[in-house]
Amino acid sequence: MAAGIAEVALLAGFEVVVRSRTERGAADLVAQVSKSLGKRVERGKLESHVRDTALQHLTTTTTLEDLSRGSIVIESVVEDYEQKMLLLRQLDSVMPVGSIIATNTSTLSVSDLALATLQPDRVCGIHFFNPATTMPLVEVIRPATASQSTIEAALAFVAACGKDAVLVRDDPGFIVNALLFPYLNNAIKMMERGTASIDDIDTAMKGGCNFPMGPFALLDLVGLDTSLSIIETLHAASGKDADRPAESLVRLVGEGHLGRKTGRGFHTY
Ligand code: CAA
């Protein structure tokens, strides 16, 4: 997701500094962006000089302080409240006055994350979808603490990236995940009950609803760890037994089968 967001911002003409915890992580991200831009050039969708300029505007660092010239930062670390909260606190002390701190969280409370900082008025959610380079939508999440200027700047950034923004209150799952993940979780439970196979459920939802991919292919694309975390958050918010994560999802994550990124999830890649 971080590579996708960086690519979107680069193609919109922004200077992008990516901070990764390790040199290896930073190098992997540059390789991913470079490969993706290269594919666009090969397909005739991007001029090679635009790719070259975009790559010149990308720098990486392992030091948070190197982000301090930025006007907007988007954190996209693992979907874990403690880790996101600690990072936002650090960003709050590093980012200059007047800059915006955004979280790309899928379901965590943006208000709780904002209140962990000393300047919650400049914290909001900017939530991209997988694959970020292709999906047109970005949700801008407005916690009660955010100032109007923060929200306006976030909406302006999303528009500058060529994406369609929707503004949403800080409710669990926002718009898309609140509606999408109960469906994905129910697809797994349907398979567990023996109603139909993984392949047939995928085929049914593609052919029967014109969805671009079936629920299992989509879970694998999003990542099973991320999917589990989203479903757990929605379950905690509703408290309903029907929203409990499906057993196979919990098992696959426990076994380290996380979808496309590990080569195996509900499908094998
Ligand atoms: N990663 C990055 N880019 C990808 C990709 C991937 N895994 N798969 C496809 N793409 C890109 C291609 O490079 C191509 O880009 P260009 O148009 O710039 O060349 C574009 O997507 C279309 O690809 P294809 O024509 O090869 O494939 P397709 O027509 O089958 O579309 C798809 C692929 C866009 C992924 C489509 O199947 C789709 O829209 N699927 C549904 C995706 C979806 O619902 N995402 C939301 C998930 S929920 C979420 O993300 C929320 C969260 O908080 C976790």
Side-chain angles (χ1 to χ4, degrees):
M1 183 56 95
I5 297 173
E7 184 176 332
V8 166
L10 286 166
L11 287 177
F14 289 96
E15 290 272 346
V16 177
V17 182
V18 172
R19 184 266 183 169
S20 182
R21 281 173 300 182
T22 60
E23 300 277 0
R24 173 79 195 273
D28 284 352
L29 184 137
V30 173
Q32 223 176 313
V33 173
S34 179
K35 188 175 164 197
S36 176
L37 289 173
K39 266 199 213 162
R40 289 183 195 244
V41 173
E42 273 168 31
R43 289 185 194 150
K45 291 190 172 173
L46 193 71
E47 301 275 357
S48 56
H49 70 89
V50 179
R51 172 202 52 199
D52 297 343
T53 307
L55 287 173
Q56 281 162 13
H57 288 167
L58 174 63
T59 49
T60 61
T61 178
T62 53
T63 313
L64 269 183
E65 281 70 18
D66 288 341
L67 301 179
S68 65
R69 282 184 303 113
S71 54
I72 181 161
V73 61
I74 304 176
E75 76 71 23
S76 174
V77 299
V78 66
E79 202 62 13
D80 174 84
Y81 177 73
E82 290 294 318
Q83 291 198 44
K84 284 199 188 282
M85 185 202 64
L86 286 174
L87 180 58
L88 286 193
R89 271 196 192 148
Q90 290 171 321
L91 288 172
D92 193 28
S93 65
V94 163
M95 296 302 290
V97 175
S99 62
I100 294 201
I101 301 178
T103 169
N104 183 51
T105 183
S106 305
T107 37
L108 296 174
S109 161
V110 180
S111 311
D112 287 353
L113 291 169
L115 287 169
T117 70
L118 294 176
Q119 300 165 80
D121 57 307
R122 63 169 173 165
V123 178
C124 67
I126 296 186
H127 182 219
F128 287 80
F129 293 84
N130 287 293
T133 47
T134 303
M135 301 302 282
L137 185 77
V138 173
E139 291 175 325
V140 172
I141 296 106
R142 182 207 288 264
T145 42
S147 68
Q148 184 60 21
S149 61
T150 295
I151 297 304
E152 279 166 14
L155 290 169
F157 170 76
V158 173
C161 286
K163 300 285 186 189
D164 302 326
V166 287
L167 187 56
V168 46
R169 199 175 65 182
D170 185 23
D171 281 344
F174 317 129
I175 299 174
V176 174
N177 287 345
L179 295 173
L180 176 64
F181 277 83
Y183 149 69
L184 297 176
N185 197 30
N186 281 329
I188 310 171
K189 290 180 180 176
M190 174 182 274
M191 175 274 289
E192 288 171 349
R193 285 195 303 275
T195 305
S197 68
I198 287 175
D199 285 342
D200 281 351
I201 295 173
D202 271 355
T203 301
M205 295 313 291
K206 279 196 293 181
C209 293
N210 245 359
F211 286 179
M213 57 202 329
F216 293 95
L218 185 53
L219 283 156
D220 284 349
L221 174 71
V222 168
L224 301 192
D225 50 344
T226 303
S227 299
L228 177 58
S229 149
I230 293 169
I231 293 167
E232 281 174 342
T233 308
L234 293 175
H235 176 227
S238 79
K240 290 184 190 154
D241 203 47
D243 295 332
R244 193 178 291 282
E247 281 170 22
S248 327
L249 178 63
V250 176
R251 182 174 43 77
L252 283 168
V253 171
E255 291 168 355
H257 300 309
L258 306 182
R260 277 180 190 237
K261 60 188 167 188
T262 59
R264 188 175 153 195
F266 286 102
H267 295 282
T268 302
Y269 298 89

